[in-house]
Amino acid sequence: MEATKARKGFRGLRPRQQENQHQQQSSRNPSKKILEVAFWGMVFWGIVRLIAHFLNLTPYGLGSFARPILTGIEENSAAAIGLGAGFLFIETLIVTALFSKLFGKARVWWSGLILGVVMLGVAGFFFRIGNWEVDTFSTEAAWYLSYGLFIGMTLTLEESDEE
């Protein structure tokens, strides 16, 4: 019994320097974590999008994210794919920052699914979702839902780990 009392009391003692370092790290982590999630999301889901386009599961490859500025460049060229990856990173960065601000404190794993549905709706608006076939819709829905779930669950887990 004495060992448990001493152990509890010992845990409660923490030098001031460690507390200050912990507070500084937690104040720096959100922007670092947002950049990290945006980068790895762009890498993994960019590769998944390239594979899905290569297998003809969707007509929209990675270059389709750069459509607003592509003039005279084919979507399947290396330049378009690079621009698309850049746009995907920027989109992910914005969405991740918004998600972190809106749902950062919520510990609800399915909030990422809501994010994926919203992202699908926005993409569907720009890519004319009404003209999609069922195959394209199912592929795009799976991609956006899993992408939103990745962002949501990563940030939710990170927030719960910090507390």
Side-chain angles (χ1 to χ4, degrees):
M1 179 133 171
E2 289 297 320
T4 58
K5 285 183 182 178
R7 192 175 188 192
K8 287 181 183 176
F10 189 66
R11 267 194 227 155
L13 297 175
R14 182 186 278 187
R16 291 255 184 228
Q17 290 176 342
Q18 285 181 349
E19 285 181 12
N20 291 339
Q21 287 174 354
H22 185 336
Q23 289 173 352
Q24 288 174 354
Q25 285 176 351
S26 65
S27 66
R28 279 186 271 154
N29 275 347
S31 60
K32 182 180 175 185
K33 184 46 93 176
I34 289 171
L35 280 171
E36 188 177 343
V37 169
F39 174 75
W40 289 111
M42 184 260 315
V43 169
F44 290 130
W45 269 259
I47 291 170
V48 169
R49 175 142 314 259
L50 284 172
I51 292 169
H53 181 66
F54 177 76
L55 295 174
N56 292 325
L57 297 174
T58 181
Y60 306 110
L62 194 56
S64 65
F65 286 103
R67 273 189 183 174
I69 64 167
L70 289 179
T71 54
I73 301 174
E74 188 177 331
E75 281 188 15
N76 293 330
S77 67
I81 291 173
L83 281 172
F87 270 87
L88 181 61
F89 176 74
I90 292 169
E91 176 187 338
T92 306
L93 190 64
I94 292 168
V95 167
T96 305
L98 284 173
F99 183 86
S100 178
K101 294 293 180 196
L102 295 175
F103 297 110
K105 299 292 181 190
R107 290 186 181 175
V108 183
W109 67 268
W110 49 265
S111 59
L113 289 175
I114 295 171
L115 176 67
V117 168
V118 170
M119 288 172 47
L120 177 65
V122 170
F125 175 75
F126 287 109
F127 291 112
R128 298 185 183 112
I129 198 169
N131 297 336
W132 288 357
E133 295 177 7
V134 175
D135 300 339
T136 302
F137 180 76
S138 63
T139 302
E140 293 297 321
W143 191 83
Y144 277 106
L145 288 175
S146 65
Y147 195 41
L149 202 57
F150 165 75
I151 292 170
M153 289 185 77
T154 303
L155 292 178
T156 301
L157 180 65
E158 185 65 29
E159 185 65 32
S160 66
D161 281 349
E162 286 180 4
E163 293 175 0

